[in-house]
Amino acid sequence: MDQRPAVADLAHSIALALGGNWRPQQVLHGVHELAHAANLTHPDGRQLHLSERYDDPGHLQLRGAFPATDYPFRRGERDSVRIAMDEDPARIAALLLDGLIPAHRTVHQRVKEYNSEQAAMRRSVEEAAREISARLPGARTRIDGTSAYIHMSLEPGEVRIGLEGGVVNVVLQDAPMIIADAVVFAVSRFLPDIQTPDDERGQHPEEFAL
């Protein structure tokens, strides 16, 4: 009986058939190499994962790998290819070049852009939260990714400020009238149809450099 090729050997043969810059790479679990899995890695950061599933012996599962993300994948963006392990590596490479690799390249770029946008949003939220908190003596701040929560006890009453991406929510609970007036005054300056007590008419938000 012919012995099936090891996944690592298959990865090497498929990489040669693909040409270009794809390189086989062994998958590790701790310091141990996995016999049933391997990666094909491209210099631009893309990876294809190859594995022989325990519940599907003799067949190779090939799928695109992605960086850590909370990107909302849609149907079809993480499809895989199933093929017999004794299939000609050139045939496997042709299937990858025809379907999996082009689709994975597109989605991989979307994930990279999404991660970049999320990272910028996290930096913006963290900066805004720290600036707001610094102006509220005794305020407690918790930052969680693109969200931040600021709480200040007024004794009696409290101020709660939530930042979710580019949106800020302010809640005054049993706050003294002077604080409520200050908040209303600040908000009114951004409403063009409202005239403040200083006879200063509000302006459109786009007129402000925020």
Side-chain angles (χ1 to χ4, degrees):
M1 180 182 295
D2 293 336
Q3 186 175 6
R4 295 194 305 272
V7 175
D9 294 334
L10 270 175
H12 181 77
S13 300
I14 295 170
L16 289 176
L18 284 172
N21 296 314
W22 290 97
R23 295 290 181 267
Q25 184 180 48
Q26 191 68 42
V27 175
L28 300 177
H29 180 69
V31 297
H32 302 289
E33 295 182 354
L34 297 182
H36 65 278
N39 289 326
L40 295 175
T41 302
H42 194 275
D44 66 7
R46 284 178 291 144
Q47 274 193 339
L48 302 179
H49 184 71
L50 295 68
S51 64
E52 180 186 17
R53 292 168 52 102
Y54 73 91
D55 57 351
D56 193 19
H59 291 87
L60 195 64
Q61 299 284 340
L62 304 101
R63 59 180 175 81
F66 298 96
T69 186
D70 58 359
Y71 171 83
F73 288 99
R74 296 181 287 271
R75 182 185 298 273
E77 289 188 329
R78 288 190 291 187
D79 284 348
S80 62
V81 173
R82 175 182 178 272
I83 195 166
M85 292 179 67
D86 57 3
E87 182 65 75
D88 181 5
R91 162 74 174 156
I92 298 175
L95 286 173
L96 294 176
L97 289 169
D98 182 56
L100 190 62
I101 288 178
H104 177 250
R105 183 191 299 116
T106 298
V107 181
H108 190 271
Q109 183 61 33
R110 291 176 188 162
V111 171
K112 286 177 59 179
E113 292 172 356
Y114 176 86
N115 283 356
S116 179
E117 292 169 359
Q118 291 296 99
M121 183 65 72
R122 284 193 295 271
R123 291 191 297 269
S124 176
V125 167
E126 181 175 354
E127 181 180 353
R130 297 198 185 284
E131 287 183 356
I132 293 172
S133 183
R135 299 169 65 180
L136 298 173
R140 299 193 305 273
T141 303
R142 179 167 62 89
I143 300 173
D144 183 13
T146 59
S147 301
Y149 308 91
I150 302 168
H151 178 268
M152 180 181 180
S153 178
L154 300 175
E155 298 182 1
E158 62 180 345
V159 177
R160 298 194 304 272
I161 302 174
L163 291 82
E164 183 68 40
V167 178
V168 179
N169 296 299
V170 179
V171 176
L172 304 179
Q173 183 71 36
D174 297 329
M177 183 60 71
I178 189 172
I179 291 181
D181 283 343
V183 171
V184 171
F185 175 77
V187 171
S188 68
R189 298 184 63 191
F190 290 87
L191 303 177
D193 297 327
I194 300 297
Q195 188 169 337
T196 70
D198 290 341
D199 294 329
E200 179 184 86
R201 186 165 293 279
Q203 297 174 269
H204 288 284
E206 57 268 20
E207 298 177 23
F208 289 82
L210 300 178

